[in-house]
């Protein structure tokens, strides 16, 4: 992507993707220091929301918490399912960029009814229905997005949650926002090989495989919104455990940060067996054609997500799609209307 080129610059989606660099660079990790202590004392944390407000922000946080052996129980589910749980002794973060998402606001209201004072909101807007229902609400600095597909807000939400667990683990200095911002910019502006874009444009279905940390799953959602193509998330090795039976040789699979021990299996089952194209998004070379991104250590998932946005933008533009005007998708999936 290149904002100097009108082909890209005219789209709000591209502008908002590129604004991510500023958002990350200016992120204040100290804003969560106090709330981190409060959450640590509770010991149990639910991160809820709908769609992009939950997928990468929550799952990135959970994966890292488990890898670090953090003594904090973190869970995620959608707001409707979460409303069935006994959350009296949980700290709960309700994320909704609009602050009007019906499922999220109703869950916050239920928590208020049971007198759970550890109910927190995370939104891109101030003075919302969500803020009214939560004990404390944090407002993102990224601002309201014009494009239907959420981008810069997803990254800021994830940084917000990650800063919480880094305060708890004593690794807040590892956030490295200035360095991360530069590497995100590289991932957003790097050239995507034309043959990869062309193959994806022709593919009936675009699959994303990878860890259950929200990156591949979030890119699956963005594929629907940005390219208008069918897509599916294949967690871990799900791609070689039966779905190959219905795959088309013209399909394409993007494997995010492929697991070294599983690459031969992907090669045998998908490339040789199905005959489709497998592309890796990785910080190293792989046996597959590889979109190579800068390494950022434990922050590399943010780089993978940004590189994926770059890929999807190229696919959308090559398909002649207006990136800012989907046919059916809405910015607020299910808005709570107060009569």
């Amino acid at each position: 992507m290149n904002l100097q080129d009108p082909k890209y610059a005219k789209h709000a989606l591209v502008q908002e993707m590129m604004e991510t660099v500023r958002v990350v660079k200016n992120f204040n990790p100290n804003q969560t220091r106090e709330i981190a202590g409060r959450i640590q004392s509770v010991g149990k944390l639910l991160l809820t929301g709908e769609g992009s407000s939950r997928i990468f922000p929550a799952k990135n946080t959970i994966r890292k918490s488990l890898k670090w052996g953090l003594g904090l129980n973190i869970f995620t589910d959608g707001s409707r399912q979460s409303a069935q749980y006994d959350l009296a002794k949980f700290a709960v973060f309700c994320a909704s960029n609009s602050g009007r998402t019906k499922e999220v606001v109703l869950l916050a209201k239920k928590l208020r009814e049971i007198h759970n004072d550890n109910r927190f909101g995370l939104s891109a807007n101030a003075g919302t229905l969500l803020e009214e229902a939560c004990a404390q609400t944090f407002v993102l600095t990224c601002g309201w997005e014009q494009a239907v597909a959420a981008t810069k807000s997803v990254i800021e939400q994830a940084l917000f949650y990650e800063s919480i667990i880094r305060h708890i683990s004593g690794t807040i200095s590892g956030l490295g926002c200035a360095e991360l911002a530069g590497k995100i910019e590289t991932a957003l502006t790097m050239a995507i090989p034309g043959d990869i874009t062309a193959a994806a444009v022709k593919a009936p279905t675009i699959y994303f495989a990878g860890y259950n940390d929200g990156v591949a799953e979030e890119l699956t959602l963005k594929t629907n919104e940005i390219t208008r193509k069918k897509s599916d998330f294949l967690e871990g090795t799900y791609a070689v455990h039966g779905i190959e039976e219905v795959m088309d040789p013209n399909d394409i699979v993007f494997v995010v940060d492929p697991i070294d021990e599983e690459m031969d299996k992907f090669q045998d089952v998908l490339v040789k067996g199905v005959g489709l194209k497998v592309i890796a998004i990785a910080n190293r070379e792989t046996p597959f054609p590889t979109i190579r991104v800068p390494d950022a250590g434990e922050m590399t998932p943010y780089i993978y997500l940004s590189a994926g946005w770059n890929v999807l933008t190229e696919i959308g533009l090559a398909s002649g799609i207006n990136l800012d005007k989907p046919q059916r998708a809405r910015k607020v999936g299910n808005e709570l209307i107060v009569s």
Side-chain angles (χ1 to χ4, degrees), residues 116-322:
N116 182 333
D117 293 331
N118 293 305
R119 61 187 192 281
F120 308 109
L122 188 60
S123 179
N125 291 306
T128 63
L129 295 172
L130 180 63
E131 187 171 346
E132 290 176 9
C134 289
Q136 184 177 0
T137 298
F138 297 85
V139 179
L140 302 173
T141 65
C142 64
W144 180 247
E145 292 159 314
Q146 298 303 312
V148 168
T151 51
K152 59 181 179 176
S153 61
V154 173
I155 295 287
E156 188 174 4
Q157 287 170 328
L159 282 175
F160 186 92
Y161 289 155
E162 180 157 343
S163 69
I164 290 174
I165 63 170
R166 283 185 176 274
H167 279 301
I168 293 172
S169 65
T171 60
I172 192 63
S173 61
L175 208 57
C177 291
E179 181 180 358
L180 178 62
K183 292 180 177 180
I184 286 176
E185 184 171 20
T186 298
L188 288 172
T189 56
M190 65 191 297
I192 305 301
D195 61 330
I196 293 177
T197 301
V201 169
K202 294 177 182 177
T205 304
I206 299 176
Y207 294 95
F208 282 90
Y211 289 100
N212 188 25
D213 61 0
V215 177
E217 187 176 357
E218 171 65 13
L219 289 173
T220 298
L221 172 57
K222 289 293 171 283
T223 299
N224 302 145
E225 294 175 334
I226 296 174
T227 74
R228 319 291 200 265
K229 281 184 171 289
K230 294 180 181 179
S231 187
D232 198 2
F233 165 51
L234 310 176
E235 179 188 342
T237 59
Y238 176 20
V240 294
H241 281 277
I243 197 170
E244 66 271 20
E245 187 68 19
V246 298
M247 285 176 158
D248 187 300
N250 292 313
D251 290 337
I252 189 169
V253 177
F254 288 93
V255 187
V256 182
D257 190 18
I259 301 169
D260 291 340
E261 295 83 357
E262 301 295 338
M263 284 194 270
D264 288 344
K265 189 69 173 179
F266 273 56
Q267 192 80 262
D268 289 341
V269 174
L270 300 181
V271 179
K272 296 178 183 178
V274 179
L276 52 68
K277 185 181 288 291
V278 175
I279 307 296
I281 301 177
N283 58 359
R284 62 199 185 281
E285 290 304 322
T286 76
F288 311 113
T290 303
I291 298 171
R292 181 83 178 266
V293 304
D295 180 60
E298 291 183 319
M299 304 302 288
T300 308
Y302 294 85
I303 311 299
Y304 293 142
L305 182 57
S306 302
W309 293 346
N310 190 351
V311 172
L312 295 178
T313 297
E314 294 296 346
I315 296 169
L317 290 175
S319 301
I321 288 169
N322 184 333

Side-chain angles (χ1 to χ4, degrees), residues 61-127:
T61 306
I62 291 171
R63 183 189 177 194
K64 286 180 176 173
S65 176
L66 290 170
K67 285 180 68 177
W68 299 345
L70 201 60
L72 178 67
N73 294 312
I74 309 180
F75 309 90
T76 187
D77 263 317
S79 300
R80 290 289 192 194
Q81 184 163 330
S82 297
Q84 299 175 2
Y85 302 157
D86 181 354
L87 299 174
K89 296 180 180 179
F90 274 75
V92 181
F93 254 100
C94 302
S96 166
N97 284 333
S98 67
R100 305 190 305 270
T101 305
K102 185 174 184 178
E103 301 89 343
V104 182
V105 175
L106 292 180
L107 175 62
K109 287 184 175 183
K110 180 177 180 180
L111 294 172
R112 183 175 61 188
E113 289 171 3
I114 65 171
H115 306 292
N116 182 333
D117 293 331
N118 293 305
R119 61 187 192 281
F120 308 109
L122 188 60
S123 179
N125 291 306

